[in-house]
Amino acid sequence: MPAEKSRPSKHDAITRAAAEMFLAEGFDRASLDQIAQRAGVSKQTIYSHFADKEALFKAICAELTEKLTIPLRKPLKQNADLRSILVRFGEDALAMMLHPASLDLHRLIVNAAARFPELGRAAYEAGANRMLADLGALIVERSRSGDGFARHVESERAAVLAEQFVGMLRGFHQARGLLGVDPAPAEALQAYVAGCADLLLRGA
């Protein structure tokens, strides 16, 4: 193994530079020469860490997805009532969806989906699917104790409710962000999330 490959600073410099270039230029226009120059390394150094540009691109998408979904992997607070949990969960999820880096990653993966369909699947599993699974399990659990629900909710119904809730959260907010439209004020977003929680509980 080359000595420089074992140095984390080299790897970090490459991934930072690659993330900046891919987000700014897309997969096709970003070149390894540009990435190497921005990272302050040789192109051969990049090849000592990644097999080719495609492997580097996939690694960057995976790292960005993992980083951006950290708030959604926090354990849901079990000592709060269901509505409070839904509101907090919804605020974290919507904030993640509207984060500039998340919007950039969304554009990047959508544009590259035809070439790398596995990237879209991986992003879905790490983001939306994780949200849906955790939320569905919470709905089933809380319905058994009567928290927020008048009757027990089966897992299939809970999965539908979870998807409806996350879909409501996304609404047109993410579309506005992707199109460069100014987001709603923070107070309006908080009220919107609370309204989504109330609709979920009434619809159950």
Side-chain angles (χ1 to χ4, degrees), residues 59-124:
I60 293 303
C61 289
E63 287 184 19
L64 288 173
T65 298
E66 186 75 9
K67 179 179 178 180
L68 289 166
T69 55
I70 285 174
L72 303 181
R73 298 196 300 276
K74 294 186 299 186
L76 297 176
K77 292 184 178 180
Q78 298 299 316
N79 59 346
D81 64 275
L82 180 59
R83 184 183 182 279
S84 297
I85 294 174
L86 289 173
V87 169
R88 178 60 184 274
F89 179 85
E91 289 176 348
D92 286 347
L94 187 55
M96 183 274 293
M97 293 177 196
L98 300 182
H99 192 285
S102 183
L103 294 171
D104 285 341
L105 178 63
H106 183 91
R107 295 186 189 98
L108 187 65
I109 291 178
V110 168
N111 288 335
R115 185 192 295 265
F116 308 118
E118 67 274 18
L119 289 179
R121 291 192 293 269
Y124 176 78

Side-chain angles (χ1 to χ4, degrees), residues 98 173 176 181-189 192:
L98 300 182
H173 296 295
R176 293 188 189 100
V181 178
D182 290 338
E187 297 80 5
L189 290 177
Y192 180 81

